[in-house]
Amino acid sequence: MIHYNPTQELTTNELNTLDEKDFFEYLDAKAKYLKQFTKPLSEHHTKHYSAFDAAISGREYTEEHYKTAKQIAKQNNYEY
């Protein structure tokens, strides 16, 4: 089993030599390590990305999208 070490990450060549199971275990360990440094998006950014997603997807950004994004942002803020 391979563990993620932030001070000595594996090189691309070393990653290419890992089998599939070890590769995904390494990625999971790295994601777990990096997750401790994240925080939820602010209300402004949540609404912004919601509108951006609708525009890219070719959908209309409705009042319902806005309310949902605002609700998600409030929940994120509460959990943070």
Side-chain angles (χ1 to χ4, degrees), residues 15-53:
L15 288 172
N16 288 336
T17 62
L18 296 176
D19 65 16
E20 186 175 341
K21 182 180 179 233
D22 287 339
F23 177 73
F24 285 114
E25 284 180 6
Y26 179 80
L27 288 181
D28 288 342
K30 183 174 181 176
K32 184 177 180 181
Y33 170 78
L34 293 174
K35 189 174 183 176
Q36 67 183 328
F37 302 110
T38 64
K39 68 177 190 172
L41 293 175
S42 67
E43 183 175 333
H44 168 78
H45 287 101
T46 303
K47 291 185 291 187
H48 175 83
Y49 287 119
S50 176
F52 189 66
D53 176 59

Side-chain angles (χ1 to χ4, degrees), residues 51-61 65:
F52 189 66
D53 176 59
I56 287 178
S57 301
R59 293 180 282 131
E60 181 181 348
Y61 189 67
H65 289 111

